[in-house]
Amino acid sequence: MLPERWTKSTRSASTAFFGALVLIGIIAAYNWIIAPHRNYLRAADIFESTVTNLARKNKIISNQVTTKRKELEELRDKYKQSCARLFDPVEAGEFFSNIQARVEEVNCILSSLTFSPARPAPKTARPRTDEYITAQSATLSLSGGYGNILALMDLLQDGPKQVCIDSVGINSDEHDSPQGVPRTAHLECGMTVTIYVIQRKEEYLQ
C-alpha cells in the first residue's frame, strides 16, 4: 500500500508543480508581453491626445499671429498716412515764411506776426522713441473783409499738410462812407495757426 500512496503523492506533487509552472509562465507572459503592450497602447493614446491638443493650440496661436500681423500692418499704414500730413523742419520754415505773402494774396493787411516757441506734442502723438513731434504756432493780427479772411483760412489749410487754426477773433469796425455810398465793414482779425513738425530725436535735442 505504501508504494501506491507514494506513487499517488508523487503524481499529485508533479501535477501541482506542473500547474505552478504553468501559472508562473502565464504570469510571466502577462508581465513580459501583455502588460507592456497595454502600457504602450496607453502611452500611444496619451501621445495622440497630446499631439491633438498641441495641433489645436498651434492653430489658435497661428490665427492670433495672423490677426496681430494684420492689425500691425493697418497701424503701419495709419502711421504712414499720419506722418504724410506732418511738416518736416524745412517745410515748416517755408510755411511760416510765406504767411505774409498769403495774407496779401487775399487782399488783407497784416498788422503783426508773432511766433511761439516750439513745444513738444502730446506723448500720444509721438509714433516712435527716436522721433519727436513738435507743435509750432504763429499768431496773426490782420484786417480785411469777411470774405477775404475766410479766403485766407482756406488758403492756409489748402494742402496735404495738417494746418490747425486754433483760435479766431474778429471785431467789426464800420466806417462812415460818403452820402449815397453803402457802408463797408472793416474787420480786425486775430488768429492762431498751428502746425505739427516731425523730426529726429537728435535734431530735437540740439
Side-chain angles (χ1 to χ4, degrees):
M1 295 296 293
L2 184 60
E4 291 180 1
R5 291 180 180 177
W6 174 257
T7 301
K8 291 181 179 180
S9 176
T10 302
R11 289 178 179 176
S12 298
S14 298
T15 302
F17 179 73
F18 179 76
L21 289 178
V22 172
L23 180 60
I24 292 173
I26 292 173
I27 294 174
Y30 177 83
N31 291 330
W32 293 342
I33 300 175
I34 299 176
H37 185 66
R38 289 183 60 188
N39 293 335
Y40 171 78
L41 292 178
R42 187 181 298 110
D45 290 339
I46 295 174
F47 177 77
E48 183 178 359
S49 176
T50 302
V51 170
T52 302
N53 291 334
L54 289 176
R56 184 174 65 254
K57 291 180 180 179
N58 182 63
K59 184 176 181 180
I60 294 174
I61 293 174
S62 178
N63 292 336
Q64 291 176 345
V65 170
T66 301
T67 301
K68 294 299 181 182
R69 284 179 178 174
K70 184 177 179 180
E71 292 176 353
L72 179 60
E73 290 299 325
E74 292 176 353
L75 290 175
R76 285 177 176 173
D77 291 339
K78 290 181 180 179
Y79 167 73
K80 291 179 181 179
Q81 293 173 5
S82 298
C83 287
R85 300 197 64 196
L86 302 178
F87 289 80
D88 62 33
V90 175
E91 293 170 337
E94 293 176 350
F95 174 81
F96 285 123
S97 64
N98 291 331
I99 284 184
Q100 183 171 355
R102 294 185 178 185
V103 172
E104 295 173 352
E105 184 178 342
V106 296
N107 297 319
C108 289
I109 300 174
L110 183 65
S111 303
S112 65
L113 177 61
T114 304
F115 297 100
S116 301
R119 62 187 186 279
K123 291 184 178 180
T124 53
R126 299 179 187 179
R128 287 167 32 182
T129 56
D130 62 338
E131 292 179 336
Y132 271 76
I133 297 177
T134 58
Q136 299 184 15
S137 301
T139 301
L140 294 73
S141 295
L142 55 97
S143 60
Y146 182 74
N148 303 92
I149 295 173
L150 291 181
L152 175 61
M153 295 171 63
D154 290 338
L155 184 61
L156 291 174
Q157 295 180 309
D158 182 22
K161 304 298 182 180
Q162 182 177 3
V163 178
C164 300
I165 299 179
D166 296 331
S167 62
V168 178
I170 298 178
N171 294 321
S172 176
D173 183 15
E174 293 185 347
H175 296 277
D176 292 333
S177 299
Q179 187 175 3
V181 179
R183 294 191 303 174
T184 58
H186 183 74
L187 303 178
E188 299 290 339
C189 175
M191 71 173 67
T192 300
V193 180
T194 300
I195 63 173
Y196 293 93
V197 184
I198 186 169
Q199 50 192 325
R200 293 292 180 181
K201 184 175 181 180
E202 55 269 17
E203 296 175 352
Y204 177 76
L205 295 177
Q206 288 179 354

